[in-house]
Amino acid sequence: SEGEHVNMFLYWGLVLLNLARTSISSPLNRFSSNDIHTTVTVNDIFISVKTSGKFHQSRLSPILDTWFSLAPSSTWIFSDTSDADVTRRTGGHLIKTECPSDHSRTALCCKMEAELTTFLTSDRSWFCHLDDDNYLNVPALVKMLSSYSPKQEWYLGKASISAPLEMLDRTVLPEEKMVSFLFGTGGAGFCLSRPLVERMGELVDNFGTTGDTIRLPDDVTVGYIAEVVMGVPLTQVETLHSHLEPLRRVKGNVGGAGHS
């Protein structure tokens, strides 16, 4: 029920807040230690929340009542429906896309394309995507991103599968080429550095087409583009968590987003 959903959302919020003081996992050593510790503020981050009109009350309202207040000028809401109340509460940060309102691959990829293209019109260093039933620990996200240079190409997230996904690369048909990659599940949240998104170029503008071609949803398409096309593999961040992860596996290292 809607009430149970809100209660679970708030429960995850308490879990994240209570465990946020623990250490954040370190990134892969892709550059010297002198470059690792950077000064990141919430104003360097473009926080993107994907939602749909039917969830504005049950899922979006708890976000606006809780963590949104810690990053109101850094958070944008992408929906398929106009909503005067949400527009007012977000200070004009509701973006109405022209995407379908269902949960199809086409609708999901359409919204991701809108999120990424809007990010590129900003001056932010990091793009971080969340679903509308994620709870975000904003200070912990800022701390985590401070461990990665925004001048490097980074794809940060949490895989929900234990081994890389193997698939036929339909973008090069009739050549039969198999590819494998990990992707950061959208339910845990993921972040991309600006240099990586900028190098994606036309693949951002045609994100929906790529998703339709490989026949996979938005978060998987991001992983495909990042690793297979751009050559930037997923760096797993253990402090991100999704509904696909049993609660018993959360060992006190929650420091980013959590799924209700």
Side-chain angles (χ1 to χ4, degrees), residues 160-220:
S160 60
I161 54 178
S162 58
L165 173 67
E166 296 185 1
M167 55 169 262
L168 175 67
D169 190 346
R170 297 180 180 276
T171 66
V172 296
L173 291 175
E175 178 186 351
E176 294 188 359
K177 178 183 177 183
M178 297 298 296
V179 295
S180 64
F181 59 96
L182 284 173
F183 64 93
T185 181
F190 59 81
C191 296
L192 306 171
S193 62
R194 187 174 195 88
L196 175 57
V197 181
E198 288 181 340
R199 191 161 68 89
M200 288 180 180
E202 293 183 358
L203 289 172
V204 171
D205 296 331
N206 298 290
F207 187 93
T209 300
T210 301
D212 284 340
T213 300
I214 65 175
R215 301 179 184 178
L216 291 169
D218 54 338
D219 52 358
V220 188

Side-chain angles (χ1 to χ4, degrees), residues 4 10 43 50 52 61 94 120 127 131 156 161 173 182 205 214 220 246:
E4 291 174 339
L10 295 176
N43 294 325
K50 176 188 68 186
S52 182
S61 285
L94 173 65
L120 286 176
F127 168 85
D131 287 343
L156 310 174
I161 54 178
L173 291 175
L182 284 173
D205 296 331
I214 65 175
V220 188

Side-chain angles (χ1 to χ4, degrees), residues 49 60 62-77 86 89-91 93 136 138:
V49 179
L60 197 54
I63 287 177
L64 301 181
D65 289 338
T66 55
W67 65 260
F68 177 83
S69 63
L70 298 178
S73 63
S74 297
T75 305
W76 283 261
I77 312 297
V86 173
R89 296 185 65 186
T90 60
H93 277 210
L136 177 65
V138 176

Side-chain angles (χ1 to χ4, degrees), residues 106-122:
T106 298
L108 296 174
C109 287
C110 176
K111 287 178 182 173
M112 183 62 69
E113 181 176 312
E115 294 174 54
L116 291 168
T117 54
T118 304
F119 163 69
L120 286 176
T121 66
S122 75

